[in-house]
Amino acid sequence: MASTATIQPRSALHKARSPGRPKPCRARVVAAAATVSTAATTTAMAAAERTRAPAASVARMKSTGRRAASVASMWRQVQGSHDWDGLLRPLHPVLRDEVARYGELVAACYKVLDVDRSSARYMCCKYGKERVLEEAGVAGAGYEVTRYVYATPDVAGPPSTSSWVGYVAVSTDEMTRRLGRRDVLVSLRGTVTQAEWAANLMSALEPARLDARGAHPDVKVESGFLNLYTSSADSGGGGGMGSCRDQLLREVSRLVTSFSKDHPDEDMSVTLAGHSMGSALAMLLGYDLAELGLNRDASGRRVPVTVFSYGGPRVGNAAFKERCDELGVKVLRVANVRDPVTMLPGALLNEGTRGFLAGLGGDRYTHVGVELALDFLRLRDPASVHDLGAYVSSIKAETCGKVPNAAVDGSRGGVLAKAMEFVEGQRAVAFAWKKAALQMGGLVQTLGMI
């Protein structure tokens, strides 16, 4: 049976999801000081008008039609320069295509991962960097893979064997012209191995300690994700090249510096895309790059860092979110409202907690960024709620504001509508039980019982 898919406005989802959910942030413009000269004031006001949330510019692009709007003409908005204001409701076609495109580049990680236990390349990529995208079915993606990335969780014992979790790539000259900037891409898969699952269950918050001066001890992240990001091994698939963090920081900063030197007139972006666990790693990397100032090009200009998260969990506390906002790390969370992973960790105590539980105090998990909410479920495949392929299909469907599977005219439509109403009722009951189980699990984790 076909899946049902909608992209719903946040107002429509408010009743279905936990109350008190934070509203997406909005760009703010600071007015020019009254003490400047009249000419300077006029200039400052004009500059402020240009940097205001781009509602007018987005409206102009929409009014001129899809053909006039291109990635190159609005790439900064697509990358979140104004927190996607005016692009989500309804979903702008250029943003839709870009979110789907990055999702497919993450899906490539699953297609080329060797999961055959008898293979000599078990938990490594089956192909070399030169042909991996072609073998993954995205030959025309317009990127050149420059490095493979490995992670080594040590939660199940001493770190030993590393697993391939994704790749770093850079846009080709042709793709750069289409995108309007040189794009450095990091693509990261979700959980596969038992050690990775074990890391995901380590839900205690601990200080990130990724800033060089230790100036932000209040910034805390999930201990399992941090372990996966920072642990290293001297042997295994990673070739003794250090932790996942070391590999990523070295390669991304190398590409930013190298291409900005060779092409000083080009604009540049850093895009971090991940699914599930991979989105958590992407979040940590985005914060890390900005905190260390490694997103600066050869001339010292700040290169925008954007995270596209697909079915991603919460990663850190409120201080982590606030610091990401201060550093200008932009995050678009593509989240299916039926996907339990997006409710974890902190299913019980989180940014939306109200009432008695809110009085317990202490750190609580907080989502970062702006949410693009989806609503889909394949009735014959409940696990599809977290499937990356289903996420991408839902985005491509472009059903924003439409009712999925509209009833057929006549009596047949009436029967179908009643059948769907019954299924929805059964599904609502099942989802309520699932949510209750998640909340109990969140409480157990919060109390440190596991």
Side-chain angles (χ1 to χ4, degrees), residues 153-314:
D154 64 358
V155 296
S160 55
T161 303
S162 299
S163 298
W164 185 78
V165 294
Y167 59 88
V168 182
V170 63
S171 58
T172 62
D173 291 344
E174 180 180 355
M175 188 63 169
T176 296
R177 287 189 291 271
R178 190 181 83 79
L179 295 177
R181 87 281 184 188
R182 183 77 61 176
D183 189 34
V184 176
L185 168 67
V186 177
S187 178
L188 299 165
R189 65 164 175 81
T191 309
V192 175
T193 69
Q194 291 182 354
E196 290 165 359
W197 280 113
N200 292 346
L201 293 175
M202 295 173 59
S203 61
L205 284 164
E206 69 172 76
R209 295 191 179 94
L210 298 178
D211 55 312
R213 300 178 304 277
H216 302 283
D218 56 328
V219 172
K220 298 179 181 180
V221 297
E222 199 237 34
S223 57
F225 298 146
L226 185 63
N227 179 287
L228 190 67
Y229 183 60
T230 59
S231 295
S232 61
D234 294 331
S235 60
M241 296 182 183
S243 66
C244 177
R245 179 197 187 200
D246 294 337
Q247 299 166 52
L248 288 168
L249 292 181
R250 278 199 304 264
E251 186 64 6
V252 171
S253 59
R254 183 188 73 82
L255 291 173
V256 168
T257 301
S258 174
F259 277 93
S260 61
K261 283 182 178 178
D262 295 342
H263 307 276
D265 296 328
E266 282 184 350
D267 286 322
M268 183 175 286
S269 63
V270 173
T271 305
L272 315 176
H275 173 237
S276 192
M277 176 193 75
S279 71
L281 294 176
M283 279 294 313
L284 291 173
L285 175 60
Y287 162 73
D288 208 4
L289 286 168
E291 189 69 84
L292 297 178
L294 297 179
N295 61 324
R296 299 274 178 180
D297 65 15
S299 63
R301 295 179 301 175
R302 187 179 68 86
V303 176
V305 175
T306 305
V307 177
F308 288 97
S309 163
Y310 303 85
R314 295 183 182 90

Side-chain angles (χ1 to χ4, degrees), residues 111-190:
K111 296 177 181 178
V112 296
L113 179 65
D114 192 339
V115 294
D116 180 3
R117 290 183 176 275
S118 64
S119 171
R121 298 189 61 80
Y122 176 60
M123 293 312 301
C124 291
C125 182
K126 292 186 282 188
Y127 308 100
K129 294 190 291 291
E130 296 76 14
R131 52 186 289 229
V132 61
L133 296 181
E134 178 182 358
E135 295 292 345
V138 286
Y143 286 83
E144 295 177 353
V145 176
T146 64
R147 183 181 177 89
Y148 283 165
V149 182
Y150 299 83
T152 315
D154 64 358
V155 296
S160 55
T161 303
S162 299
S163 298
W164 185 78
V165 294
Y167 59 88
V168 182
V170 63
S171 58
T172 62
D173 291 344
E174 180 180 355
M175 188 63 169
T176 296
R177 287 189 291 271
R178 190 181 83 79
L179 295 177
R181 87 281 184 188
R182 183 77 61 176
D183 189 34
V184 176
L185 168 67
V186 177
S187 178
L188 299 165
R189 65 164 175 81

Side-chain angles (χ1 to χ4, degrees), residues 403-418 420:
V403 178
N405 295 340
V408 181
D409 293 337
S411 61
R412 181 184 175 193
V415 173
L416 176 60
K418 290 180 180 179
M420 289 301 295

Side-chain angles (χ1 to χ4, degrees), residues 8-19:
Q8 298 187 0
R10 186 178 297 275
S11 58
L13 294 171
H14 179 72
K15 295 181 179 179
R17 306 197 70 172
S18 57

